[in-house]
Each structure stands twice: as structure tokens, then as C-alpha cells.
Amino acid sequence: MARVVVDVMPKPEILDPQGQAALGASGRLGFTGIVEIRQGKHFEIEVDDSVDDATLEKIAEGFLANPVIEQWTIKRVDA
């Protein structure tokens, strides 16, 4: 068994209204010094040892992310 973390973020050129809303709220709540907030998605998947990196890439690209507007990173972590 392995634990895999997939982080999905909007591409830098894509507007991020949720991140902008969080940025606005941070100022209204009195937090200073925050320049930018981008909001994404975080997935933790447990897979057996037969799942290779190519399969994980297909899962991320075809199932967890929208490749038109999002980018992702995949990493295996110690369980």
C-alpha cells in the first residue's frame, strides 16, 4: 500500500474567484501582509503497489483535475 497526494491548482493565468474572495476576507478580518491566495484541491489516495506513476497521472488528468484550467502535482508519501 502507498499513500499518494495529488494537489490540484488553477493554472496561474486562470482567474481564481474563490482565492480572491479569501484574500478579500482576510483583509476584512484584519490579517495584513497577505498578497495572494489561490485555492485548489487536495486528494489523498491509498493505492496498492501495482498502481504505477503512469496510472496515477491518468487518474489526475482524467478524473481529479480539469487539464484545461488546472495543473497538478502527484507525490507518493510514506503511509
Side-chain angles (χ1 to χ4, degrees):
M1 292 289 258
R3 178 168 291 176
V4 176
V5 174
V6 180
D7 288 312
V8 178
M9 294 295 295
K11 290 181 177 177
E13 65 273 18
I14 299 296
L15 294 177
D16 178 11
Q18 293 171 320
Q20 291 293 314
L23 179 62
S26 69
R28 289 190 300 277
L29 293 172
F31 297 105
T32 60
I34 300 173
V35 177
E36 182 177 8
I37 297 176
R38 306 274 299 167
Q39 182 172 329
K41 299 178 274 187
H42 177 89
F43 298 92
E44 294 184 5
I45 307 167
E46 291 199 25
V47 297
D48 64 36
D49 294 333
S50 68
V51 179
D52 61 11
D53 290 347
T55 300
L56 293 173
E57 185 69 27
K58 287 179 185 175
I59 291 169
E61 182 177 3
F63 179 63
L64 301 178
N66 177 344
V68 175
I69 61 170
E70 296 174 319
Q71 58 191 18
W72 57 90
T73 60
I74 301 169
K75 65 181 172 186
R76 293 179 185 262
V77 297
D78 294 331

